[in-house]
Amino acid sequence: SDEDDAPKKRKKKKGSQPTGNPEVVLSFERRKGKRMVTLIAGLEHFGLNLKDASKALKRKLASSVNVTQNPTTGQEVLEAHGDKFGDLLLGMITGEFGVPIQQVFVIPDRKKIPARDWNPQ
């Protein structure tokens, strides 16, 4: 019977894989007063352990980096205290972590742009 030879469809678990191309997104949030944090989402789609990535970023950025849950998306993200890491952070993500620059995006102020077009101050 031909029906038995046909490949069976597998159901995907919700939230296990992103739809389309996986991407890393950097965004910035203001915390109490003038304090800023940088949120880094999507590293786990490239086979990175978030705890190990946070340890590497702590050493490179000389800043506190924690694994937290994004309150709006529920996704686990890295939270780096401060917002002045632009070039260092992009260098770590594309160099040491091996994420292609085409798959890195930045949300400086509510508009998502490709990282290669971003000019950090």
Side-chain angles (χ1 to χ4, degrees):
S1 62
D2 294 329
E3 290 178 17
D4 294 336
D5 296 337
K8 297 186 180 188
K9 293 182 182 178
R10 293 184 181 179
K11 291 183 180 179
K12 290 186 179 180
K13 293 181 183 177
K14 287 189 177 183
S16 64
Q17 290 293 322
T19 56
N21 290 331
E23 55 188 37
V24 173
V25 180
L26 305 178
S27 59
F28 307 96
E29 283 186 8
R30 183 174 299 279
R31 292 290 160 98
K32 299 175 188 173
K34 293 184 178 183
R35 294 186 184 158
M36 297 289 289
V37 294
T38 302
L39 298 177
I40 307 148
L43 286 175
E44 68 277 2
H45 301 305
F46 294 91
L48 293 169
N49 180 334
L50 293 182
K51 275 194 175 265
D52 294 341
S54 75
K55 287 179 185 177
L57 286 170
K58 280 180 194 181
R59 285 191 293 270
K60 188 75 164 190
L61 303 177
S63 176
S64 176
V65 181
N66 305 310
V67 178
T68 62
Q69 195 168 21
N70 188 334
T72 55
T73 63
Q75 179 183 21
E76 279 196 335
V77 296
L78 293 181
E79 178 184 82
H81 294 213
D83 64 340
K84 303 296 181 200
F85 316 120
D87 294 332
L88 274 176
L89 200 50
L90 285 178
M92 279 288 283
I93 291 171
T94 57
E96 291 185 39
F97 296 159
V99 177
I101 190 73
Q102 298 86 1
Q103 293 176 287
V104 181
F105 294 88
V106 181
I107 304 175
D109 27 58
R110 297 186 185 179
K111 186 178 178 190
K112 187 162 122 178
I113 60 172
R116 62 179 170 261
D117 297 338
W118 180 51
N119 185 18
Q121 283 84 359

